C-alpha cells in the first residue's frame, strides 16, 4: 500500500520560500506511470492544484502559481519536493502531496499546515 | 481554464436518503471527471474516477454518471459515515487540474 507523508516548516515568513517534501513509502516513486502532485487548501476553502512532476522530471504547473513554483523529484530518496517563493499570507494553507494517475489522485498524504506570518 | 461548478453548495439529508450532487464543466471534458470525499481534518478520498468507475474499496452505494459537461454523484442510501464534503475534479486539461467548490452534506 502506497503511503505519502509531507514534511517541512509549519511557519514561513512573508517574502520567503516555502519548502516541503513528500516521502513515498510502500513502492518506488519511479515505478509505474505515475505523476506526483501537490495540492493545497486554505482553511475552510476548496482545493487548489499546484502542479505535478513525472519521474523523468517533466512538470506541469498551475499557471496562476507558475512563476513562483518549482517541483522536483529525488528518486534515490523516493521523495518529491515543492518550493513556493515570495510567499504571502494568501499562501497559508494545508498542503497535500498525492499520487497522480491520469489526473486521478488516489493516494494522498495527510497534509501539512503551512502558515505565512512574521 | 476549465471552470467547475457544483450544486447544491450544501444539503441536509437523513440516513437512508438518496442524495444527488451535480457538477458542471465550463467546456466538454469527455469523461475526465473524478469525485472525492473529504471529512474535516482529513485528506480527500477518491470515490469515482473517469466519471463512473468506482475506486477500489469504495462502497457500491456511491455511483457516478455523465459525460461532456454535466456529471452527477449519487449516494443511493446515505450512511452516517457519508456526512462530508464532496468535490468534483476535471483531469481533461493536464495543464491545469481544477476542482469544483464542493458540496457539504450534513445531517438533517
Amino acid at each position: 500500500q502506497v503511503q505519502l507523508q509531507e514534511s517541512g516548516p509549519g511557519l514561513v515568513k512573508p517574502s520567503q520560500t516555502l519548502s516541503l517534501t513528500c516521502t513515498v513509502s510502500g513502492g518506488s516513486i519511479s515505478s509505474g506511470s505515475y505523476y506526483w502532485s501537490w495540492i493545497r487548501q486554505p482553511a475552510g476553502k476548496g482545493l487548489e492544484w499546484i502542479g505535478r512532476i513525472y519521474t523523468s522530471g517533466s512538470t506541469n504547473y498551475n499557471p496562476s502559481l507558475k512563476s513562483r513554483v518549482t517541483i522536483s523529484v529525488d528518486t534515490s530518496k523516493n521523495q518529491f519536493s515543492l518550493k513556493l517563493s515570495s510567499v504571502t499570507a494568501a499562501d497559508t494553507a494545508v498542503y497535500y502531496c498525492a499520487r497522480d494517475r491520469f489526473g486521478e489522485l488516489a493516494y494522498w498524504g495527510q497534509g501539512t499546515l503551512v502558515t505565512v506570518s512574521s | 481554464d476549465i471552470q467547475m461548478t457544483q450544486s447544491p453548495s450544501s444539503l441536509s439529508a437523513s440516513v437512508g436518503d438518496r442524495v444527488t450532487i451535480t457538477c458542471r464543466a465550463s467546456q466538454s471534458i469527455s469523461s475526465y471527471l473524478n469525485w472525492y470525499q473529504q471529512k474535516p481534518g482529513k485528506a480527500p478520498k477518491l470515490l469515482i474516477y473517469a466519471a463512473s468507475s468506482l475506486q477500489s474499496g469504495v462502497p457500491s452505494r456511491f455511483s457516478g454518471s455523465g459525460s461532456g459537461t454535466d456529471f452527477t454523484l449519487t449516494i443511493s442510501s446515505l450512511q452516517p459515515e457519508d456526512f462530508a464534503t464532496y468535490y468534483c475534479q476535471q483531469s481533461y486539461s493536464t495543464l491545469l487540474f481544477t476542482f469544483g467548490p464542493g458540496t457539504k452534506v450534513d445531517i438533517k
Side-chain angles (χ1 to χ4, degrees):
Chain A
Q1 177 82 344
V2 174
Q3 293 185 319
L4 295 89
Q5 178 70 58
E6 305 89 352
S7 59
L11 181 64
V12 181
K13 288 182 166 52
S15 80
Q16 294 191 341
T17 296
L18 176 160
S19 296
L20 296 174
T21 296
C22 182
T23 301
V24 179
S25 58
S28 170
I29 199 170
S30 300
S31 66
S33 300
Y34 301 114
Y35 278 81
W36 303 90
S37 277
W38 287 97
I39 304 98
R40 69 180 182 178
Q41 185 174 38
K45 297 189 177 181
L47 299 159
E48 179 180 35
W49 179 76
I50 298 169
R52 65 179 186 168
I53 190 165
Y54 194 63
T55 48
S56 65
S58 172
T59 55
N60 299 116
Y61 296 138
N62 186 323
S64 70
L65 299 169
K66 188 173 184 177
S67 64
R68 299 193 291 130
V69 172
T70 302
I71 298 176
S72 58
V73 64
D74 186 336
T75 55
S76 68
K77 294 183 179 179
N78 233 32
Q79 295 175 335
F80 63 107
S81 298
L82 169 70
K83 291 188 185 299
L84 181 66
S85 64
S86 304
V87 297
T88 69
D91 296 309
T92 294
V94 174
Y95 285 75
Y96 295 100
C97 58
R99 193 179 82 173
D100 170 354
R101 175 183 173 274
F102 307 131
E104 302 150 8
L105 305 168
Y107 294 93
W108 294 65
Q110 65 185 29
T112 188
L113 174 63
V114 178
T115 301
V116 178
S117 175
S118 55
Chain B
D1 299 357
I2 300 174
Q3 308 299 322
M4 307 300 294
T5 58
Q6 287 182 234
S7 60
S9 57
S10 65
L11 66 90
S12 295
S14 301
V15 173
D17 283 354
R18 182 181 181 89
V19 170
T20 298
I21 298 169
T22 297
C23 176
R24 177 165 290 174
S26 60
Q27 67 182 71
S28 177
I29 57 171
S30 185
S31 295
Y32 291 90
L33 191 284
N34 309 306
W35 288 99
Y36 300 85
Q37 175 194 67
Q38 187 179 33
K39 296 181 180 179
K42 299 294 186 182
K45 173 186 175 182
L46 179 65
L47 300 175
I48 302 286
Y49 63 94
S52 60
S53 296
L54 191 67
Q55 175 68 3
S56 176
V58 173
S60 59
R61 62 181 180 273
F62 291 94
S63 64
S65 64
S67 66
T69 60
D70 295 319
F71 302 86
T72 58
L73 172 70
T74 300
I75 309 172
S76 60
S77 177
L78 197 67
Q79 298 302 300
E81 60 268 30
D82 300 337
F83 292 97
T85 299
Y86 293 84
Y87 293 94
C88 61
Q89 174 232 346
Q90 65 81 17
S91 51
Y92 177 83
S93 170
T94 57
L95 296 181
L96 176 57
F97 297 145
T98 47
F99 293 86
T103 295
K104 185 176 181 181
V105 177
D106 61 22
I107 302 172
K108 181 183 285 185

